[in-house]
Amino acid sequence: MTRTGDTDLTAQSTSEARAEAAAAAGVQGLLFDDDLRPMPEDVGFRGPTACAAAGITYRQLDYWARTGLVSPSVRPATGSGTQRLYGFRDVLLLKVIKRLLDAGISLQQIRTAIAHLSKRGIDDLTQITLMSDGASVYMCTSPDEVIDLLAGGQGVFGIALGGVWREVEGSLSELPTERADGHGEGDDENHASDELAARRRARMTG
């Protein structure tokens, strides 16, 4: 478990602990075994699309980009007329920020948490549940850690990044994509939104 700014503590997860954590927390389906894959790194979404998927305003998006909270990783703005492109991971972090803001977490705490999340690999992100007591944000990597927080009275709410991942995937599956080289989703080479939609359908029917 990591309290943003603290050192890591490790714990092994078990199926029983998973069930207890989900039942005890009752929040956002604390999942640690999602089979989730990222989109190609050269495919992104324009600002308005990222805003729609994350549920934020363009003003927030622009401010967070200018202050370095979440910068567009596929293509930054390099001059007049250049469209920023946000990758799937970027949109995921934007959605997480929105959730934390809605829960009353300070932007200073959010910046610290996002800085830690940004250092994690894609696979690591899907294994993390963010917990908060309203003041501090904790990164849990196993149900045991969630239970420990709840037992100590520290966890008020939780955000399972695997669950947020699926929400963002569902939202983006119907929205236009663009490649870093400027080609849109109509190109036969890359139908990223089609791929997202196919993953969503497979998960629902599987």
Side-chain angles (χ1 to χ4, degrees):
M1 172 195 337
T2 303
R3 177 179 176 180
T4 52
D6 290 353
T7 56
D8 284 351
L9 301 174
T10 58
Q12 295 296 320
S13 62
T14 65
S15 56
E16 181 180 352
R18 290 181 188 176
E20 290 178 3
V27 287
Q28 306 198 32
L30 309 174
L31 301 177
F32 298 89
D33 56 357
D34 294 314
D35 181 18
L36 302 170
R37 295 171 297 159
M39 286 175 50
E41 293 183 358
D42 65 339
V43 175
F45 305 89
R46 292 193 176 193
T49 302
C51 288
I56 62 175
T57 66
Y58 193 85
R59 184 175 179 179
Q60 287 175 310
L61 181 79
D62 184 60
Y63 176 70
W64 295 343
R66 286 188 288 105
T67 58
L69 181 56
V70 177
S71 301
S73 62
V74 176
R75 187 176 66 207
T78 55
S80 178
T82 303
Q83 292 286 339
R84 291 179 293 201
L85 284 184
Y86 289 82
F88 184 92
R89 179 194 177 101
D90 303 330
V91 180
L92 176 71
L93 293 178
L94 292 170
K95 185 82 168 180
V96 169
I97 293 170
K98 177 64 163 56
R99 291 277 179 83
L100 293 172
L101 284 173
D102 289 347
I105 305 301
S106 71
L107 192 57
Q108 180 179 0
Q109 282 288 332
I110 291 173
R111 286 187 181 278
T112 303
I114 294 301
H116 280 268
L117 290 176
S118 297
K119 297 175 183 177
R120 301 270 184 161
I122 286 290
D123 291 338
D124 289 340
L125 286 180
T126 63
Q127 304 299 311
I128 292 173
T129 291
L130 295 179
M131 300 290 292
S132 178
D133 54 9
S136 298
V137 179
Y138 305 84
M139 289 190 291
C140 301
T141 55
S142 80
D144 289 336
E145 293 177 347
V146 174
I147 293 171
D148 289 343
L149 273 178
L150 293 171
Q154 294 169 295
V156 175
F157 72 92
I159 301 175
L161 267 63
V164 179
W165 183 298
R166 286 197 302 274
E167 290 182 34
V168 171
E169 187 179 79
S171 299
L172 292 175
S173 65
E174 305 300 328
L175 296 173
T177 63
E178 185 174 317
R179 287 170 44 201
D181 60 11
H183 292 86
E185 67 170 343
D187 298 328
D188 291 335
E189 287 182 349
N190 203 328
H191 285 174
S193 59
D194 289 347
E195 181 182 351
L196 288 173
R199 291 183 199 172
R200 189 183 186 194
R201 287 194 299 270
R203 189 174 294 117
M204 293 175 66
T205 58

